[in-house]
Amino acid sequence: MNKLLRRIFPPGIFMHVPVIRLRWAMLCGILLSTLQLAAQQTVRGRVTAADSAISGVTVQLKGTAIGTQTNQKGEFSINAPANGTLLVSAIGYASQEVKIAGQSMLAIALESADQQLNQVVVVGYGTQSKRKLTSAVVTVSGEDLNKRIATNPTALLQGQLPGLQVVQGSGEPGAEKINLRIRGVSTFSGAGNDPLVIVDGLPGSLASLNPNDIESVSLLKDAASAAIYGSRGANGVIVIKTKRGKNGGFSLTYNFNLGISNPTSLPDVVTNSAEYMRLSNEASANSGRQPIYTQAQIDLYENATDRVKYPNHDWLGDLFVTAYTKNHYLNMAGGKDNTTYNLGIGYTDQPGTMIGFEFKKYTVNLGLSSKVNKRVTLGTNILLNYSNKLNPRQGADDSFLSTLAQSPLYPPRAPDGRWIKKAYSNEQGNKNIPAIVGENVRARSEDYYVQGNISLDVEILKGLTWENRAGGNFDAFKFSDFRPVVEMFYYSDMTTAGQLDVGPLGYDARRTDNVYGVYYSQLNFRRTFGDHTLSALAGYQQEYNKASNIAGSRLQYTTNFLKELDAGPKPGMTNSGTSSEWAIRSFYGNANYDFQDKYLFGTSIRYDGTSRLPEDTRWGLFYSFSAGWRISKESFLEDVSWINDLKLRGSWGKLGNQNIGLYPYQSTLTARDYAFDGKVIPGYNSAMIVEPTLTWETTQVLDIGADLTAFDNKLSLTFDWFNKNTFDILRQAQIPLWLGMEAPLINNGSVRNKGVEVGAQYRGHITKDLSFFAGGNFQAYKNTLEKYGKREINGNLIREEGKPLDEYYLYIWDGIFQNQAEIDRSPKQPITPSPGDLKIKDVNGDGIISDADRTYVQGKYPSFQYTANLGLNWKQFDFSAMLYGSQGQKIYVNGWGAEPFRQGSMPTTDWRNRWTPTNPSTTMPKIYMADGYAPVQGYPSTYFLKDASFLRLKNLQLGYTLPARLTDKAAMKSLRVYFAADNVFTISDYPGLDPERAGDGLYVTYPQIRTFTFGASVQF
């Protein structure tokens, strides 16, 4: 080309062309810039939908990279030419082009994309338009989630998604014991009921995320939505999408909040020392024991003037404190020239309301995406999480019960600084937790978690793309625990009382590593042919996981200052370590078809092969079918103007659960010494019979549902009825003991859950400046064990066909024996009672209380759960509140706090109303020593079964967004300050503590916390 030009044009002309071109370009540029500046102006506006402000809306000057986003009040400000055009877009709404036409103030009203129906919902391995969904999928946005404040994002899901049961069993920082169940408990095996969690397309950890990084959460709860995950979808799937950058310039956001926390409820215990001593002696006498305290000792405390020497000490006041939690979050996001980025950095400092508990969490979330040419897009997501946790080595439950087991006769520490074990040597008691914390005898846990993936998407043809994802996660958990020698003393005479109870003296160190890798590649197809629309995908996936752990310990260190394994003596040292691995290979596909956007059909299939099963049964086929009918598009409903969309849908499918242990079909060996030739010889044996034909646990789900939007899309309703049957449950066979070996694991058992789920939301406005939303959801299900074999009784629970799984099986508490005459004329009790003891009901009427009088008691599962939410927006103010309730569940609890004088534990003030000859109570027995008092503790009865129904004001939040005229002066896009309260109040008959807990067992557990939060969010 250059040679041709040189022949045509005279020599030397090319020397002048660049100069002429440059000068001309400069002149034109100056002229154009001058004209543009002359026409440039600051354009302000407010974006609403259904008269409610929308935050996070992208406002971009068409044809440029200049852009901004709306603040919490829907307001924006942008520099643009008077004749420019703004592109206004937001997820879930129809995009608009708005001509400026010289205006300086714009009022923009967005419509929901086809009035909410074109909203894109994240589902398995892709997305789908909400109006085309034929499966049971519900979603919640990150914005709605973060109307509550929590350090663990899992807790924020409570009450947000119908079909998902969220129970937070503890308020312990970093160990909240959050239990997630989708449509009930489906199995009793070790496979478990936990749902699969997908983060940005790959299996991941929800708790490791920072709540501010979440864009949306989708719940896949039927077979049609979860079948694409095959053998990992039986318990449902939670799909999390983290935030992405957007084209339109740079955005910087900083959030800070300070939370002030206290326990929601604590038992009211007797702290008057003289009263405690008298009650203790009374309980001892009622239990057939000698009194612990003499009258002289009681008089010393009753008549004391020196309350330092003879205190009425409140030990719970030592254990529980006000905690101050700090959360910082910084986000930088933006995009230009087909490259977008999002970087979120978070830090949480959360001390516990129980002394000795601390948790710190650091998170980094980076997302990058670049369209390198018009067909190829590269991307990556990287999540880094580091957490550091400190707690007394015995844990929260033991810390609580140990503190209750102290008497009010002494403080944790004497005025001279020495730690106290008891007041008198003959007292009972437990660990001195303030001493354990004061000496820093705490376990240290560090968790290093990394999750990342890279993606390559190629547009092969119009409508056909090739998608690739490769990634994984690595989790390294470190644990260390040093237990020193600490001297203790008796408070009455300050004599030596031995050593602080910290367990075996010495040092433990452990490390657990887990490496998970996954790769999938799939083809995506989506085209419309006239009235026909077809979308499909087909892919291949490979997963691999390896876990390992190693541990070591040494005992009896000569000093408390050298806290390393090598510093301890070798005699008595121990070490251990194991490793395990599994892999799964999958082929999967999905297709969705609709005709005239009215008749909808879908199917999914997955073929999984796992290392966890024998070669002959290793591969399993999982599939689903679904259909929908947008009946509102039929001609007979065209004139029903108040209905925007009405869709009926149904689905059926089969799912699997591969979490059945790593080697259940193999004869694994266990180290076992044996005697030979007069010597002990190390050896190995296989202690369990194996079943070589094991297969998957399988779940079949039938779902029938309906979705309605009405009244100009102000009202949305969703309804689902489901029938979920899990069969081939893995369990140990019921074999006679004389075989001398452990029973084999077999596929034998089935559990069915039937239920309904309803969700509703209404948005509207009262005046121009006052808008609102109100809604709620309801869910109820019934659980039945349909196949099990011979019934089995385990403590207070029973497994029997035709009954709920693990239903309560108890003696019925029928009052209190008032006198010997009543005892004599009553059915013979299993344990000889005396007046003031529990009376057990003769259920079968044979005149004798025996095992035949145990009966089924409902309440293992809630009858129903419900949520109500409300929001108001008035000018610059916003308000939201959420009520959450659970009805019909009972909890079986006993031990410290529920019973008096367990290890000498302080009784609750309820025992002031105990039965005595002069106070013939019918609700409380006589006081007793709860260390084996058979007339009360000798059998499981409804006396220990408590009503755990509750209604809680879960959250409320009040915010104020500064007007744009003020934030503009400070070069800010927006500034919002807010106050929030969590677990505000609870209405319940559950005694003493919070009714929301993990399940049956000890009465004491780390209490739930009530938190008042003050925060601010600023965007630049």
Side-chain angles (χ1 to χ4, degrees):
M1 177 62 73
N2 287 337
K3 292 181 179 179
L4 179 62
L5 290 173
R6 293 181 189 278
R7 289 178 182 176
I8 298 174
F9 297 100
I13 191 171
F14 291 101
M15 296 176 60
H16 303 285
V17 169
V19 176
I20 297 171
R21 186 187 304 154
L22 178 61
R23 291 174 177 172
W24 175 251
M26 290 176 62
L27 180 62
C28 292
I30 293 172
L31 180 60
L32 289 173
S33 298
T34 303
L35 292 173
Q36 187 177 27
L37 287 171
Q40 200 85 1
Q41 65 181 58
T42 298
V43 180
R44 304 181 190 277
R46 186 168 184 261
V47 181
T48 61
D51 295 315
S52 297
I54 313 175
S55 63
V57 177
T58 298
V59 181
Q60 183 177 354
L61 180 59
K62 186 175 181 179
T64 74
I66 299 171
T68 186
Q69 288 187 330
T70 59
N71 61 21
Q72 293 289 332
K73 300 301 295 181
E75 299 165 340
F76 69 91
S77 175
I78 189 172
N79 290 326
N83 61 349
T85 300
L86 298 180
L87 304 178
V88 184
S89 61
I91 295 176
Y93 297 92
S95 299
Q96 286 190 28
E97 292 191 8
V98 179
K99 293 183 178 180
I100 298 173
Q103 303 176 80
S104 59
M105 179 63 68
L106 298 174
I108 302 171
L110 292 183
E111 291 185 350
S112 297
D114 196 9
Q115 303 296 304
Q116 298 181 356
L117 300 177
N118 281 334
Q119 178 183 348
V120 175
V121 176
V122 179
V123 292
Y125 293 93
T127 60
Q128 195 172 358
S129 173
K130 187 174 181 179
R131 76 172 189 275
K132 295 180 182 291
L133 279 175
T134 55
S135 55
V137 178
V138 287
T139 63
V140 61
S141 68
E143 181 181 357
D144 287 338
L145 279 182
N146 284 286
K147 287 178 180 177
R148 282 183 58 205
I149 307 298
T151 57
N152 186 341
T154 313
L156 299 177
L157 296 177
Q158 188 174 68
Q160 297 286 354
L161 300 164
L164 178 65
Q165 179 184 5
V166 182
V167 176
Q168 182 173 334
S170 170
E172 181 181 347
E176 293 86 355
K177 298 180 182 177
I178 299 176
N179 183 289
L180 299 178
R181 295 291 179 264
I182 298 176
R183 293 183 164 179
V185 176
S186 300
T187 181
F188 48 80
S189 77
N193 293 276
D194 294 334
L196 174 65
V197 175
I198 301 294
V199 179
D200 291 330
L202 302 179
S205 168
L206 176 55
S208 296
L209 294 172
N210 188 297
N212 294 284
D213 286 324
I214 296 175
E215 175 78 18
S216 67
V217 178
S218 297
L219 181 69
L220 317 185
K221 52 188 180 177
D222 70 338
S225 57
I228 193 71
Y229 292 104
S231 64
R232 304 190 70 180
N235 295 324
V237 184
I238 297 174
V239 182
I240 297 101
K241 180 184 177 185
T242 60
K243 290 180 179 177
R244 297 287 188 273
K246 299 176 182 178
N247 280 313
F250 175 74
S251 174
L252 175 66
T253 303
Y254 172 68
N255 297 335
F256 170 77
N257 60 65
L258 173 67
I260 305 170
S261 302
N262 290 103
T264 57
S265 181
L266 291 174
D268 186 12
V269 297
V270 173
T271 58
N272 180 278
S273 294
E275 181 183 9
Y276 171 89
M277 297 163 85
R278 284 193 295 268
L279 288 173
S280 173
N281 286 350
E282 182 182 335
S284 294
N286 290 337
S287 302
R289 302 180 184 183
Q290 292 297 316
I292 294 175
Y293 303 102
T294 67
Q295 186 59 47
Q297 290 171 334
I298 296 175
D299 290 343
L300 285 174
Y301 280 86
E302 185 136 52
N303 303 320
T305 57
D306 184 355
R307 283 302 172 191
V308 174
K309 188 173 183 179
Y310 302 106
N312 297 312
H313 194 76
D314 179 12
W315 278 79
L316 292 185
D318 296 322
L319 184 65
F320 293 100
V321 296
T322 299
Y324 298 89
T325 298
K326 296 178 285 293
N327 287 296
H328 300 264
Y329 179 75
L330 180 67
N331 179 268
M332 293 170 280
K336 186 177 181 181
D337 298 333
N338 296 321
T339 297
T340 61
Y341 56 89
N342 185 88
L343 175 63
I345 303 172
Y347 167 66
T348 293
D349 181 4
Q350 184 183 13
T353 56
M354 187 184 292
I355 62 170
F357 291 82
E358 298 178 26
F359 178 68
K360 293 183 179 180
K361 176 180 176 180
Y362 306 79
T363 60
V364 177
N365 190 29
L366 173 64
L368 292 172
S369 179
S370 180
K371 192 168 185 178
V372 296
N373 63 38
K374 72 176 189 176
R375 293 187 180 276
V376 179
T377 301
L378 295 174
T380 185
N381 288 92
I382 299 173
L383 167 65
L384 306 176
N385 176 290
Y386 168 74
S387 63
N388 187 318
K389 187 173 182 291
L390 296 174
N391 59 270
R393 67 177 298 271
Q394 297 85 359
D397 294 354
D398 189 80
S399 295
F400 200 165
L401 67 86
S402 293
T403 303
L404 282 175
Q406 311 298 326
S407 80
L409 279 66
Y410 55 94
R413 197 170 200 169
D416 63 4
R418 287 181 287 179
W419 295 110
I420 304 303
K421 185 172 185 177
K422 304 174 184 177
Y424 302 102
S425 60
N426 62 333
E427 286 185 301
Q428 295 178 287
N430 206 315
K431 307 171 190 69
N432 185 329
I433 297 301
I436 287 175
V437 175
E439 294 292 334
N440 203 24
V441 188
R442 295 188 290 176
R444 287 160 171 78
S445 304
E446 293 181 281
D447 191 51
Y448 302 81
Y449 181 83
V450 180
Q451 177 176 317
N453 70 74
I454 57 174
S455 62
L456 169 65
D457 298 335
V458 180
E459 184 180 1
I460 301 173
L461 300 169
K462 182 180 180 182
L464 179 64
T465 60
W466 179 33
E467 179 180 337
N468 297 270
R469 296 285 186 280
N473 55 60
F474 171 72
D475 190 9
F477 177 79
K478 296 180 179 180
F479 173 90
S480 63
D481 173 30
F482 185 81
R483 301 173 300 280
V485 176
V486 179
E487 292 296 323
M488 304 293 289
F489 299 87
Y490 293 118
Y491 196 59
S492 60
D493 56 12
M494 296 307 295
T495 58
T496 300
Q499 298 173 350
L500 177 64
D501 182 4
V502 294
L505 300 175
Y507 180 69
D508 288 342
R510 298 195 295 268
R511 173 167 175 156
T512 301
D513 295 324
N514 193 87
V515 180
Y516 169 81
V518 60
Y519 166 75
Y520 74 82
S521 180
Q522 69 184 44
L523 292 172
N524 303 311
F525 176 80
R526 188 187 302 268
R527 289 292 299 272
T528 298
F529 310 94
D531 289 336
H532 307 271
T533 299
L534 175 66
S535 64
L537 64 86
Y540 162 84
Q541 180 167 309
Q542 179 72 50
E543 301 173 71
Y544 172 78
N545 192 92
K546 183 169 184 177
S548 62
N549 66 79
I550 190 169
S553 69
R554 296 198 183 188
L555 302 175
Q556 302 296 333
Y557 278 56
T558 57
T559 174
N560 291 342
F561 300 104
L562 298 177
K563 302 177 182 180
E564 297 290 344
L565 280 175
D566 283 351
K570 293 183 179 179
M573 69 179 182
T574 64
N575 58 75
S576 63
T578 62
S579 65
S580 61
E581 58 185 345
W582 58 266
I584 186 169
R585 180 172 296 167
S586 309
F587 303 89
Y588 59 91
N590 168 271
N592 290 282
Y593 165 80
D594 70 82
F595 176 68
Q596 293 183 346
D597 204 20
K598 184 191 314 184
Y599 308 109
L600 316 170
F601 303 93
T603 184
S604 294
I605 189 169
R606 187 170 180 124
Y607 190 51
D608 282 334
T610 180
S611 63
R612 299 173 186 245
L613 290 172
E615 186 174 347
D616 292 342
T617 59
R618 177 162 295 167
W619 289 89
L621 185 66
F622 308 96
Y623 45 85
S624 70
F625 306 95
S626 60
W629 178 24
R630 294 183 65 199
I631 191 172
S632 56
K633 293 181 71 69
E634 297 290 354
S635 58
F636 56 81
L637 286 179
E638 284 183 352
D639 296 331
V640 183
S641 59
W642 61 271
I643 295 179
N644 300 106
D645 190 74
L646 174 61
K647 178 174 62 180
L648 306 179
R649 51 182 168 76
S651 68
W652 177 90
K654 187 171 77 168
L655 309 164
N657 191 341
Q658 70 125 16
N659 298 321
I660 53 178
L662 298 181
Y663 315 109
Y665 68 96
Q666 295 179 341
S667 300
T668 54
L669 299 178
T670 302
R672 185 73 57 87
D673 295 342
Y674 65 97
F676 180 76
D677 194 24
K679 300 177 182 179
V680 177
I681 307 297
Y684 301 88
N685 79 320
S686 178
M688 187 175 73
I689 305 170
V690 296
E691 169 57 60
T693 61
L694 284 178
T695 186
W696 316 83
E697 287 192 4
T698 304
T699 298
Q700 291 182 352
V701 186
L702 172 65
D703 186 281
I704 298 174
D707 302 307
L708 170 71
T709 56
F711 306 117
D712 293 327
N713 300 287
K714 295 177 181 178
L715 174 68
S716 61
L717 291 170
T718 181
F719 168 84
D720 280 277
W721 172 88
F722 66 88
N723 186 336
K724 179 181 178 182
N725 181 34
T726 300
F727 55 94
D728 283 341
I729 294 176
L730 203 66
R731 57 169 295 191
Q732 283 194 304
Q734 296 173 319
I735 63 173
L737 295 176
W738 53 259
L739 282 178
M741 298 183 71
E742 290 186 39
L745 294 173
I746 60 173
N747 295 104
N748 183 19
S750 66
V751 175
R752 187 180 299 274
N753 286 276
K754 294 181 180 179
V756 295
E757 301 152 357
V758 181
Q761 191 84 356
Y762 186 89
R763 293 181 179 273
H765 60 93
I766 300 172
T767 67
K768 178 181 178 182
D769 294 323
L770 179 60
S771 61
F772 73 96
F773 68 85
N777 59 62
F778 171 92
Q779 58 188 28
Y781 68 90
K782 182 181 179 181
N783 172 289
T784 306
L785 179 61
E786 292 197 335
K787 182 180 179 183
Y788 191 76
K790 182 181 178 181
R791 78 174 189 175
E792 293 181 0
I793 300 172
N794 181 20
N796 56 10
L797 304 175
I798 187 171
R799 290 181 180 176
E800 183 173 357
E801 293 179 359
K803 299 292 182 180
L805 175 63
D806 291 330
E807 187 170 39
Y808 291 117
Y809 192 62
L810 304 169
Y811 292 96
I812 304 300
W813 172 42
D814 199 26
I816 306 295
F817 283 117
Q818 298 299 318
N819 49 56
Q820 187 61 45
E822 184 181 0
I823 295 173
D824 293 340
R825 65 175 178 264
S826 297
K828 182 177 176 56
Q829 303 291 302
I831 298 169
T832 302
S834 60
D837 287 334
L838 299 186
K839 181 180 180 180
I840 301 301
K841 185 176 182 179
D842 183 12
V843 173
N844 64 0
D846 64 358
I848 300 175
I849 306 300
S850 65
D851 286 345
D853 293 298
R854 293 181 68 172
T855 189
Y856 310 101
V857 180
Q858 295 181 349
K860 183 63 178 177
Y861 307 100
S863 301
F864 57 87
Q865 294 174 313
Y866 55 97
T867 301
N869 53 70
L870 171 70
L872 297 169
N873 288 277
W874 180 68
K875 295 185 177 180
Q876 307 298 119
F877 292 93
D878 60 270
F879 171 80
S880 63
M882 184 176 82
L883 288 164
Y884 173 74
S886 178
Q887 184 66 36
Q889 186 172 14
K890 295 181 174 65
I891 296 178
Y892 190 94
V893 290
N894 54 19
W896 298 260
E899 299 180 87
F901 297 106
R902 180 78 170 93
Q903 290 184 324
S905 62
M906 296 174 285
T908 60
T909 55
D910 298 332
W911 287 97
R912 290 170 177 164
N913 190 41
R914 67 198 178 280
W915 182 95
T916 65
T918 59
N919 182 46
S921 172
T922 59
T923 58
M924 295 196 74
K926 64 187 179 186
I927 199 164
Y928 60 94
M929 287 287 185
D931 289 311
Y933 184 64
V936 176
Q937 298 177 295
Y939 35 74
S941 74
T942 55
Y943 173 73
F944 295 106
L945 195 64
K946 310 301 180 183
D947 184 1
S949 301
F950 66 90
L951 171 63
R952 191 197 307 279
L953 178 54
K954 188 67 181 178
N955 173 259
L956 60 83
Q957 187 171 136
L958 176 65
Y960 177 76
T961 302
L962 268 68
R965 67 178 184 275
L966 298 179
T967 55
D968 286 349
K969 294 178 181 179
M972 294 184 294
K973 291 182 180 178
S974 67
L975 173 61
R976 179 177 179 265
V977 293
Y978 59 89
F979 165 77
D982 212 51
N983 292 335
V984 183
F985 66 80
T986 304
I987 301 172
S988 177
D989 291 331
Y990 188 78
L993 290 173
D994 199 288
E996 184 178 358
R997 51 176 289 150
D1000 302 333
L1002 293 175
Y1003 171 72
V1004 293
T1005 186
Y1006 200 114
Q1008 302 285 346
I1009 57 175
R1010 178 183 297 110
T1011 303
F1012 299 101
T1013 302
F1014 301 88
S1017 177
V1018 59
Q1019 185 179 20
F1020 297 94

